[in-house]
Amino acid sequence: MKRILLYAGLMLIFIACEDKYEDTHKYSKPYYYYKDYPIYLDASEILVDIQVKPSVNPNEAFKIISNDRYFFVGEKMKGVHVYKKTDAYHVSPLCFIECKHMKAFDVADN
């Protein structure tokens, strides 16, 4: 009789200790989503924020693109540094295009 009560007590403890964390906090967990397509802003929203400034050294370059005459070095949420190719091994700083909304860029039509 004592064994039956012991087993019944243990079963009650196991049932009472069921993990309800998942049920209680199911909708408060962080879920991460990403988009694999470009998001474009209206030009009127960012036109005021784009400025051409004298060249400065890049702190955290994330993308470098080159064409026939220029190097473009991008900094996320800051802008693009433009360098002019003087010969095969040298470049000279040209300008810094400040755009605080920029996360990615590309060069079109050379």
Side-chain angles (χ1 to χ4, degrees):
M1 184 70 179
K2 286 185 179 182
R3 272 193 178 174
I4 294 174
L5 288 175
L6 177 67
Y7 289 133
L10 286 175
M11 290 302 288
L12 269 169
I13 290 173
F14 287 131
I15 292 171
C17 292
E18 182 183 351
D19 185 19
K20 296 187 184 224
Y21 180 83
E22 179 71 26
D23 298 333
T24 308
H25 301 283
K26 183 176 184 178
Y27 298 106
S28 64
K29 287 183 178 181
Y31 290 100
Y32 301 101
Y33 298 102
Y34 67 93
K35 299 177 180 178
D36 57 352
Y37 55 88
I39 299 172
Y40 298 99
L41 293 175
D42 187 18
S44 63
E45 294 177 25
I46 61 170
L47 192 58
V48 213
D49 294 336
I50 298 176
Q51 298 176 2
V52 178
K53 295 185 172 186
S55 183
V56 294
N57 290 331
N59 293 333
E60 297 178 14
F62 78 96
K63 187 173 188 179
I64 300 173
I65 296 178
S66 173
N67 68 6
D68 296 347
R69 299 175 6 195
Y70 302 104
F71 276 111
F72 302 94
V73 180
E75 278 191 88
K76 274 191 180 178
M77 305 305 285
K78 291 184 182 175
V80 178
H81 301 271
V82 182
Y83 297 91
K84 186 174 185 177
K85 295 179 183 178
T86 54
D87 60 27
Y89 300 105
H90 298 91
V91 296
S92 63
L94 194 58
C95 67
F96 174 65
I97 303 170
E98 183 182 46
C99 180
K100 296 177 183 169
H101 302 286
M102 186 193 75
K103 290 187 179 180
F105 72 100
D106 206 356
V107 176
D109 297 331
N110 201 11

